[in-house]
């Protein structure tokens, strides 16, 4: 089922999201939400989608396979990445200025400072711990999506934001 998107100025986009237990992750409700968020992200042409963007304030986000490097998954399969309760820490000194947009902020783009390299810890869709080093595009998307779960939109930290017209 495709889900409707939550867009600014909906207040819940600026509310912190609740962490999930393994039991909750394995529940039919959360598994269904994951199954619904993936096609919703592709239909809306997003590269990532966080649960608050579909009106659910829980710590769950997905990152589209376009942002996932080859060899990321052990068996070299290509799939979307599900991150639950994710946290990141910077692992390099470099900060890059990236252009980004957000499905919850239609018609705008902005320049945002992002860490070039980060270490991510999370649970996967089975509730199992995962951790990985990310750099470049994956690092950039993972920071944007994790920020959503911590009540932060890119426009809150952007150096500049401009109109691109409604699409
Ligand atoms: Zn976003």
């Amino acid at each position: 089922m495709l889900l409707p998107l939550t867009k600014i100025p909906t207040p819940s986009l600026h509310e912190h999201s609740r962490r999930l237990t393994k039991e909750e992750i394995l529940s039919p409700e959360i598994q269904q939400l994951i199954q619904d968020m993936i096609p919703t992200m592709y239909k809306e042409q997003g590269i990532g989608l966080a649960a608050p963007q579909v009106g659910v304030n829980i710590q769950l986000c997905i990152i589209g396979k376009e942002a996932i490097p080859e060899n990321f998954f052990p068996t070299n399969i290509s799939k979307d990445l599900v991150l639950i309760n994710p946290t990141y820490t910077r692992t390099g000194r470099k900060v890059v200025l990236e252009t980004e947009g957000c499905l919850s902020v239609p018609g705008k783009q902005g320049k945002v400072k992002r860490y070039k390299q980060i270490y991510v810890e999370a649970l996967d869709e089975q509730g199992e711990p995962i951790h990985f080093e990310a750099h470049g595009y994956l690092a950039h998307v993972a920071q944007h999506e994790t920020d959503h779960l911590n009540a932060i939109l890119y426009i809150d930290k952007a150096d500049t934001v401009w109109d691109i017209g409604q699409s």
Side-chain angles (χ1 to χ4, degrees):
M1 183 177 81
L2 293 173
L3 303 168
L5 287 184
T6 304
K7 298 176 185 176
I8 56 166
T10 307
S12 64
L13 287 169
H14 280 113
E15 286 169 14
H16 275 268
S17 290
R18 184 173 72 74
R19 290 168 70 86
L20 293 177
T21 64
K22 182 167 181 175
E23 191 180 4
E24 288 175 307
I25 293 165
L26 296 174
S27 70
E29 292 77 17
I30 298 298
Q31 292 295 314
Q32 186 62 51
L33 180 64
I34 294 168
Q35 291 313 311
D36 291 343
M37 281 175 64
I38 291 171
T40 300
M41 175 184 74
Y42 282 106
K43 190 217 161 214
E44 302 288 348
Q45 299 183 316
I47 190 64
L49 188 68
Q53 296 184 274
V54 291
V56 188
N57 279 94
I58 59 172
Q59 297 239 350
L60 160 64
C61 64
I62 53 176
I63 296 177
K65 58 182 83 151
E66 286 167 72
I68 313 293
E70 274 180 53
N71 307 324
F72 182 86
F73 292 107
T75 48
N76 225 353
I77 43 170
S78 169
K79 69 180 187 103
D80 307 298
L81 180 62
V82 177
L83 297 178
I84 295 164
N85 304 343
T87 58
Y88 64 80
T89 49
R90 65 189 295 183
T91 54
R93 285 175 33 205
K94 273 203 172 159
V95 172
V96 283
L97 199 57
E98 301 280 3
T99 298
E100 55 191 83
C102 179
L103 296 175
S104 294
V105 187
K108 292 190 186 298
Q109 283 186 338
K111 287 274 190 193
V112 189
K113 289 195 186 80
R114 296 290 186 190
Y115 303 133
K116 191 169 185 188
Q117 200 168 328
I118 58 171
Y119 180 73
V120 178
E121 292 180 272
L123 301 178
D124 68 10
E125 64 270 44
Q126 302 303 322
E128 298 298 330
I130 51 170
H131 50 86
F132 55 91
E133 189 93 26
H135 48 85
Y137 196 34
L138 177 58
H140 171 193
V141 178
Q143 287 170 80
H144 179 114
E145 299 309 326
T146 303
D147 281 359
H148 270 295
L149 307 179
N150 294 311
I152 300 165
L153 299 176
Y154 84 86
I155 49 175
D156 302 330
K157 48 172 33 172
D159 284 11
T160 50
V161 177
W162 60 89
D163 287 327
I164 56 167
Q166 298 290 333
S167 56

